[in-house]
Amino acid sequence: AVAGIVGADGDNADAVAGMDWAARIRPVRALGKCGGYFSDIFDGIAWAAGFAVPGVPTNPTPAQIVNLSLGGTDSVPCSAEDDALLAQLLSPSGLRAIVAAAGNAAGDANLNFPSSCPSTIAVPATSDTGDRTTYSNYGTSVDIAAPGGDRGGLAGLIYVLFNAGKTAPDAYAIAAGGGTSLAAPMVAGVASLMLAVAPGLSPQELRTIIQTTKKPFPTSSKCTFNSCGRGIVNAEASVAAAQATVQASEMPVVEYYHA
């Protein structure tokens, strides 16, 4: 479901279309059926980014974007030590963004981990009307909102790819659901589109563009600047702004001399 939101093939009259049809996706398993530890998640992020992880072959195709549609509630916000672990993986020539779901407890996003870490781009969920969904966490740690699906009927949910298998692949189908885990890959997909037109974007430039090109929340929305991030992610405007950075860098330099 999450991978399909990022990169499901489009323009083929089949199922759903992802955000970036040309994106390359490398799934990394860091959790088991009973959950796991942040140390495992960090190792997975580090390996995806091309860093060496003991006992694991080096990733031959390092990622530029990591999507974390996972998380858990902690008793305190992300510590400086944990954020430093994530921050060291970001670089202008390496990993450009760590996108994380803000959580589905309808509570304090500042206690949701790892999205509460400042080095992540934390994503809460909005409904099809731009309101905060009934389940989405919210708080000052979130950065940019994205559609996550809400309301009782199918009309307000997000349609995703689905497989009926429990332990092995079975029939493929389309499902409908909601969650910040579906909102996060929309932002990750937008980041992928931005790097497609501006591969030199730094982590900070990418984050800034996504936040400044946002679509404002409707006046009737429960979302505010301090609860759901800067606004709702705007794919068209983000990609256009990323493209503009390349065009600006390619402008000729004209020197003027005065005798």
Side-chain angles (χ1 to χ4, degrees):
V2 172
I5 289 175
V6 172
D9 285 343
D11 199 22
N12 60 0
D14 184 24
V16 299
M19 302 296 293
D20 183 358
W21 310 347
R24 293 183 297 167
I25 299 174
R26 179 177 291 279
V28 179
R29 182 171 183 174
L31 304 176
K33 65 179 182 179
C34 297
Y37 298 95
F38 175 65
S39 57
D40 300 319
I41 296 172
F42 177 79
D43 280 347
I45 299 171
W47 182 86
F51 287 75
V53 175
V56 182
T58 302
N59 179 3
T61 55
Q64 294 179 298
I65 302 163
V66 167
N67 181 82
L68 299 175
S69 287
L70 51 81
T73 302
D74 207 342
S75 58
V76 294
C78 175
S79 69
E81 292 79 10
D82 286 335
D83 187 58
L85 289 175
L86 295 175
Q88 68 177 309
L89 303 180
L90 297 167
S91 73
S93 59
L95 193 61
R96 317 301 176 83
I98 302 171
V99 182
N104 304 326
D108 189 356
N110 300 332
L111 299 179
N112 190 74
F113 188 83
S115 69
S116 60
C117 295
S119 293
T120 71
I121 298 178
V123 185
T126 53
S127 69
D128 58 346
T129 61
D131 204 353
R132 190 179 76 233
T133 59
T134 54
Y135 56 79
S136 180
N137 285 345
Y138 53 92
T140 55
S141 65
V142 299
D143 297 290
I144 190 76
D150 204 7
R151 301 189 352 202
L154 290 176
L157 298 177
I158 303 295
Y159 285 82
V160 296
L161 302 180
F162 179 76
N163 187 280
K166 299 296 184 181
T167 59
D170 200 339
Y172 288 98
I174 303 174
T180 57
S181 284
L182 305 183
M186 293 198 182
V187 175
V190 170
S192 179
L193 289 170
M194 293 167 64
L195 291 178
V197 299
L201 287 176
S202 70
Q204 186 57 53
E205 288 172 328
L206 189 148
R207 175 192 290 268
T208 298
I209 289 175
I210 287 178
Q211 290 182 318
T212 56
T213 57
K214 83 290 183 181
K215 181 178 180 180
F217 298 115
T219 55
S220 59
S221 175
K222 294 192 294 289
C223 281
T224 64
F225 181 85
N226 289 323
S227 67
C228 299
R230 303 293 183 89
I232 302 172
V233 67
N234 187 329
E236 180 180 14
S238 293
V239 173
Q243 178 68 56
T245 65
V246 176
Q247 294 170 341
S249 66
E250 293 177 347
M251 292 180 64
V253 176
V254 179
E255 297 182 353
Y256 294 91
Y257 297 92
H258 185 271

